[in-house]
Structure formats: C-alpha cells, structure tokens
Amino acid sequence: MKSFKLVALEVVEDGNSVEVPLEDGLIINKENESASWLLEAYTDLSLYDYFQKIHEQSREVIVQAVISKRENVPAYFQTKIATLKKFENHISVLFEGRLRRNRSDYSELLLDSLLEKGLGGQALLEEFRDKMKSKPKLKMKHD
C-alpha cells in the first residue's frame, strides 16, 4: 500500500460538481488485485446530509482528487462511500473505488475546451499556457 496527501476533492455528478473543502485528506493505493483506492475526506459538517443521501442510496459517484500538491493534475475515481462518520464540527467521508483511466489527458481536455470557446492563434497559446499553470477544473468527457 502507498498513501498520499489528498489536497483537493470534488464530487462530479451529472455534469455538476460539488467542491469538498478539506480540513484534511488522505488517499491510499491499496495495490491489490482489484486496483482499489481509499480516499478519506475530513470536511465540514454542513456536507453531512449531502453525503448521507449518496451513502443511503449506495450510489456510485465520480470524485476528482488532487494528490500531494495543488498544482498536480486531478485524478478521477469511480467510488462508493464506504463509511460516513459525524464528529462535533466535521465529518469523515471514506470513499472506496477505482482510478478511472481516461483516454483524454488534462492538456487535451483543456485544449478542446479552449477551442470550443473559439480561441485561436496567439490568444489560444497564451490562454493554454496560463491554464496549464493554474489547472482550472474541467468538465470530464465520458468515454
């Protein structure tokens, strides 16, 4: 097993996303036959009802996770909530799932979104460079 710091997390559903403000976070590659990962988000109590509904419905959700450093490209995981614990002012949400391997990497998705905005030439190049540094969230294309 290998563990890493989870620095940002977002739940992606139906083209919308819910940013999960992390008080703390951990992600573990279990390195087992089923290639499963554990993601723990220690977050605000205000999100309890949202996660409780997903947990009760045993619904699978895609989470976008940034691992180790903020500037890293997000990884996408197909997950289910394994446990949800309530504390005085926070909650712990434990997701279990698998890494999604997308055909398109971040730079391709970014370039596609900039072209859809009608950018070209020097403007496209400048915007692409800027966005590659700031790594804004992108809508994920379903394979």
Side-chain angles (χ1 to χ4, degrees), residues 18-30:
V18 173
E19 191 169 340
V20 179
L22 294 176
E23 196 65 37
D24 204 358
L26 179 68
I27 182 164
I28 299 171
N29 179 348
K30 292 175 73 176

Side-chain angles (χ1 to χ4, degrees), residues 34-49:
S34 59
S36 58
W37 290 70
L38 293 173
L39 297 87
E40 184 180 23
Y42 188 66
T43 187
D44 197 79
L45 184 61
S46 64
L47 289 170
Y48 182 81
D49 291 341

